[in-house]
Amino acid sequence: MANKSGRSVLHISKRGALPWYAAWAIRGAAIVLALIVSGVFTAALTGLNPLGVYAAMIQGAFGTERKVWILGQNLAILLCVSLAVTPAFKMRFWNVGGEGQILIGGLATAACMILLGDKIPNWLLIIVMVVSSVLAGAIWGGIPAICKARWNTNETLFTLMMNYVATQLVAFMVIVWEVPKGAGKIGIINQNTEAGWLPQIGSYKYLLNILVVAALTVVMYFYLTRSKQGYEISVVGESERTARYVGIKVGKVIVRTMMISGGLCGLAGLLLVGGTDHTITTTIAGGRGFTAVMVAWLAKFNPFTMVFTSFLLVFLSRGASEITTIYGLNHSFGDILTGIILFFIIGSEFFINYRLSFLKNTGKGE
Amino acid sequence: MKKILSLALVLVMLLSFAACGSKSEPAAASKDVKLGFIFLHDENSTYDLNFMNAAKEACEALGLSEDQYLFRTNIPEGQECYDAACELADAGCNIIFADSFGHEDYLIQAAKEFPEVQFCHATGTKAHTEGLSNYHNAFAAIYEGRYLAGVAAGLKLNEMIEAGEFTAEEAKMGYVGAFTYAEVVSGYTSFYLGAKSVCPSVTMEVTFTGSWYDETAEKEGANKLIQNGCKLISQHADSMGAPTACETAGVPNVSYNGSTVSACPNTFIVSSRINWAPYYEYVVNCVRSGEAIAADWTGTIATGSVVLTDVNEQAAAAGTAEKIAEVKAEIEAGNIHVFDVTTFTVSGDNVKPTLTVDAEGHVTSYLADVDTDADYTGDTEVVENGYFNESAKRSAPYFDLSIDGITLLDVAF
């Protein structure tokens, strides 16, 4: 803020668009700074060698072939949810209900696996699972959207509350399907028949999930940037009035977009329940519905950039888990490092968008 | 600003170089054993802390060096457990332990992939039906510990009755449980029978929270029971909710998983817990000597797996420690069976189709759901020689009868 009195030494002004290399240089510098701060922090609190800790984090993410696959799988699921919430956020519709939409998609998948497991052929079962999980997520996302379009309800609160409804619904069904009685757990569904398990490609357990999400990334990119619907989303996001003025049916766009958003979260639920975990619990979404919001915003809603931002988050989490194992530190320590690094990365966006200039003070020193 | 920055940089570099020598080498020379432990939470959970302490104790007793065991904490009951188990196997572990019921299926998946690695799962039910030579279950006869804790509770009730605080008919205990799971049912029933063995008129109310760890729900549950007129509370859930509610209300508490005396000096009587160290040592010794590990291993008082904490003299009735020692000796000698069918009755709707009782309501035969299946089929006769033979057909408890004298307030979970 320019201060007319001339006492201000710090001047903040909005920048024009930075060339891409300058923006990435700032981000790179932020990461380096973050690593230094985390390093000092690590050394001061634990007396460990920070370089050793970073090496362990890299080891935790890439150390073995299995670790690379796990990284890929976690990345795929987080990216899937991030892609799912992106259309909604681009429309400035605050969908913080990803968690519930994943859960309800997963619940639909588990219901099909349990109820139809031995009744219909496997290929048909998988088709039913895909349709019902996407539909369940779409409905879960559609309800707040309809209320928003009709009565202008607050979508942040509404989607958030839908999370709780979904969690309780899953908790209830887990009690219905629990094995053994009273355990409060379902365990792996159809462990012996593998009915409804998504097919495994060769010997690679997680390859199918990764390929599905990779395809989704490309499709989402073109949907958002090249399609008419994607354009409508941008216009509604920029200004609803403009959208109305140019003849876009805003209510229809809101409901349609949220159903896509919810449906893709449901797909993430399918990949988790049908593809990897083969069970349903209230915690299966693991906070991804919220983490995805950060991934999407950090990437400025560009699906390809999201590959990197979700990679960063998954890498940090895998690395954090490795250092707790190797150094016997509490998991919270890894979370602290993740927090520091994210703080710097998010903070760097400020320096990309704004210019800081130190005004020469002609008076005495500080 | 620049000075601070460069100072920080120099500091980081110095520290890095100083510590460069201590790079961790992947277990090079140890031809012996390498243990991997999978825990559901970390040391902030009393349940997992109990396992972690036992693991450290066992590793020390077995003379294992620091690079011979790995801890993986905060592993959820999902694919993460399978991944963690495989990663531990990749890292050279030849024995892998997991501590939570929901880990079981994922551990079995991993066991199928790594036939040369031993997978040992606490609290699980499937080892005896899976037929894998490298997958094992373990539990402890904790119902015996609960019974002893129940004796302490009964003595306390007797003392309060004698002091004129309430009549013998009003002697009612409360119990905060997690789920209506056999492990919990077995626990509160043995606790109740222990109390009844010294205080014949005692009754009990049980409430369930639907969670293994929910401090608020456990506290509310305990308060509800106290308002219902319960004179003493015990619990099977892992938070401090019930003990602190008791301390606030001045109601005696019999605890679980470990002593709560520091937080509840006026109301804590005694606590039972499972010590897992004997099992860990048993497994390592088996692997070292090339013996097969039992598919189901049930620790007992004799193996040191079922332990009671010190009695808190300030809250417990006089002579509690002596009485516990006496009953403990009787159990070890086989003179007392916790689920002796002459000591309890089952009536009304609680007599399930797979259960037969005589004219007085004493159980004569029961097919329990020992082989886990989705329909909860009763498959194994468990009443033998006049008592319900708990934890003998498999290590995890299967006593799930509702006996007279115990009222379940809610069975939603």
Side-chain angles (χ1 to χ4, degrees), chain A residues 1-2 8 10-14 350 353-357:
Chain A
M1 295 291 155
S8 168
L10 196 59
H11 186 80
I12 301 173
S13 56
K14 186 103 173 79
F350 173 83
N353 289 320
Y354 295 93
R355 184 196 306 276
L356 268 193
S357 32

Side-chain angles (χ1 to χ4, degrees), chain B residues 103-361:
Chain B
H103 287 147
E104 177 157 46
D105 289 346
Y106 299 92
L107 218 55
I108 291 174
Q109 296 276 96
K112 286 176 180 166
E113 265 177 57
F114 291 90
E116 73 288 357
V117 176
Q118 301 299 323
F119 292 84
C120 303
H121 179 241
T123 76
T125 62
K126 290 183 177 168
H128 71 288
T129 49
E130 260 330 292
L132 293 168
S133 62
N134 65 330
Y135 178 74
H136 322 279
N137 283 150
F139 215 100
I142 188 60
Y143 61 98
E144 293 176 345
R146 293 273 196 190
Y147 185 87
L148 295 173
V151 169
L155 292 175
K156 181 68 186 175
L157 290 174
N158 284 346
E159 187 191 70
M160 291 195 281
I161 294 167
E162 273 167 40
E165 289 182 36
F166 48 84
T167 67
E169 284 64 43
E170 288 171 331
K172 182 166 75 174
M173 303 190 292
Y175 198 97
V176 182
F179 290 91
T180 55
Y181 182 45
E183 182 187 338
V184 179
V185 180
S186 176
Y188 69 67
T189 309
S190 51
F191 173 74
Y192 172 75
L193 291 174
K196 201 180 164 198
S197 70
V198 290
C199 179
S201 64
V202 68
T203 58
M204 187 161 88
E205 282 182 358
V206 184
T207 183
F208 297 93
T209 60
S211 163
W212 291 106
Y213 189 101
D214 186 338
E215 184 137 13
T216 314
E218 288 164 40
K219 190 175 255 178
E220 277 172 11
N223 284 331
K224 179 173 76 181
L225 292 165
I226 292 168
Q227 275 161 21
N228 281 1
C230 293
K231 313 297 184 201
L232 184 147
I233 303 287
S234 187
Q235 73 275 349
H236 189 160
D238 299 336
S239 88
M240 287 296 290
T244 48
C246 288
E247 184 73 7
T248 310
V251 172
N253 180 264
V254 172
S255 204
Y256 187 53
N257 274 341
S259 176
T260 46
V261 70
S262 55
C264 311
N266 301 314
T267 54
F268 169 78
I269 294 180
V270 73
S271 169
S272 54
R273 73 175 183 94
I274 298 177
N275 179 6
W276 289 97
Y279 179 62
Y280 294 148
E281 289 170 28
Y282 159 78
V283 170
V284 172
N285 288 331
C286 279
V287 169
R288 277 179 173 168
S289 64
E291 280 170 50
I293 303 166
D296 271 274
W297 187 89
T298 310
T300 60
I301 295 176
T303 62
S305 302
V306 178
V307 288
L308 260 69
T309 62
D310 289 337
V311 172
N312 178 22
E313 301 292 347
Q314 199 176 332
T320 300
E322 293 75 16
K323 181 73 180 170
I324 288 178
E326 182 193 320
V327 178
K328 188 172 160 186
E330 292 281 304
I331 291 177
E332 281 195 87
N335 298 332
I336 291 180
H337 292 289
V338 170
F339 296 112
D340 186 332
V341 293
T342 58
T343 60
F344 65 91
T345 54
V346 181
S347 60
D349 290 343
N350 292 329
V351 182
K352 316 182 205 187
T354 54
L355 176 75
T356 50
V357 295
D358 63 17
E360 283 126 38

Side-chain angles (χ1 to χ4, degrees), chain A residues 66-67 178 188 206 277, chain B residues 79 83 87 90 105-106 376:
Chain A
R66 186 187 310 282
K67 285 181 195 290
E178 67 190 355
I188 293 183
Y206 303 141
D277 287 47
Chain B
Q79 191 71 6
D83 287 338
E87 284 180 69
D90 286 346
D105 289 346
Y106 299 92
Y376 320 138

Side-chain angles (χ1 to χ4, degrees), chain A residues 40 43 49 66-67 70 178 180-182 185 187-188 191 205-206 276-277 279 318 321 325 330-331, chain B residues 12 15-16 19 42-43 71-72 74 77 79 82-83 86-87 90 101 105-106 109 113-114 179 181 376:
Chain A
V40 172
N49 172 9
R66 186 187 310 282
K67 285 181 195 290
I70 296 173
E178 67 190 355
K181 197 196 167 305
K185 307 261 157 46
I188 293 183
Q191 189 163 21
K205 269 194 164 53
Y206 303 141
T276 53
D277 287 47
T279 191
R318 292 286 298 160
S321 145
T325 305
N330 187 281
H331 207 87
Chain B
V12 171
L15 283 166
S16 334
D42 55 27
E43 63 274 12
F71 280 14
R72 290 294 306 268
N74 294 306
E77 297 168 317
Q79 191 71 6
Y82 164 81
D83 287 338
C86 293
E87 284 180 69
D90 286 346
F101 177 79
D105 289 346
Y106 299 92
Q109 296 276 96
E113 265 177 57
F114 291 90
F179 290 91
Y181 182 45
Y376 320 138

